[in-house]
Amino acid sequence: MDALKNFEGHVITTHKRFLTMDVSKYDLVIIDEDILLGSIIQNKIDISISDLKKVKKKTVLGSMIRKKVNESLKYIETDERISDFFSLPSIDYDKTDDDIAIGVDIPSFCSATHFLYRKSSDKENNISEDCITFIPPVKFNPNMKYIMVSATVDETVCEYFFGKENIEFYTCKKARYEGALCQDYRRPMSRDYISKNKDIIKGIKKWSGFDDTISFKRFMASYQGDLHFGNSAGCDYLKGKNLDVIGTPHIPDWIYKLFAYSIGCEFDTEAKIKPGITVEHNGWKFRFTSFDDKVLRAIQFYILESQLEQAVGRARLLRCQCKVNLFSNFPLNQANMICDFDYEKN
């Protein structure tokens, strides 16, 4: 690290390292892939209420961190709480608290300002104990020019995150695929739908005859391969191979809301996701499970589309004459919409 600090040349590093670096000595930062989805939205931290109370006991009376913990507990334990979202000011991290060995990310808790209280009694939370969840804030140098290069970056979400006045968005002309993307849009293909139709993946695989598949992690026993939604970005060993992508990778509603809240968007915190509402995207008008709230819908569609595009992109259709079958009711660009897939007969 000392050598890096004194080095005056170009530097190539990971997203994770970049987010903690002081880049002020550089002229320009080029970010490959979409850092918002890959390293910010997905970088959620949970702290259980019991761990919060342990931090309170282990910190010095009157310390800033104890005060912040007390304010958190006071908010979530009050009967007058209006919303499960709450904000607290950031505080300086005191390194004397480094010896609090209870598995809590103290520095991130100190820097965080926007929190969500999640209850174990809520089924969608899938947690064993009540907790607070937050996205650690990321600071981009306001005097630095950043160029983000990605096929999945979204202009609307970038405007939400960076501020409309701070970005210039350039859309490259879409090159025609050398390969073919064929999409079966007839079924939702959510985790719940596939769980209720247990043999659907096996039927698809028997029908297509393709060796390679990307779907949800929980269904990997139904197909060959080690890729699933969430871990496929950057993988290149499926280049030029025929591929089945099976699923619409919805995530819990609260993640969309937490991201919107963390970056200061105005949205309905009580908005509920609704099945079968009419929406428009990628030139298509269709029924989908989504929000009426425009901010939450934009974030939802951005995350969904990014996950699907990353999965489809593993075959490198742009340069390779291969075929990807996509089974999802969320339409992608350049997809040939086909409704005569006969895998039900298998």
Side-chain angles (χ1 to χ4, degrees), residues 68 87-91 107-115 134-137:
K68 190 166 184 176
S87 61
L88 296 171
S90 63
I91 60 174
S108 292
F109 174 73
C110 291
S111 64
T113 56
H114 293 76
F115 301 86
F134 58 93
I135 299 174

Side-chain angles (χ1 to χ4, degrees), residues 34-38 41 148 152-155 157-158 256 259 281 296-308 330:
D34 183 354
I35 197 169
L36 297 187
L37 178 61
I41 296 176
M148 185 158 57
T152 59
V153 68
D154 183 86
E155 182 174 7
V157 174
C158 282
Y256 305 125
F259 178 61
H281 191 69
L296 295 177
R297 186 186 299 176
I299 293 172
Q300 179 200 19
F301 282 11
Y302 155 64
I303 294 175
L304 276 174
E305 187 167 36
S306 296
Q307 293 276 25
L308 288 173
F330 187 86

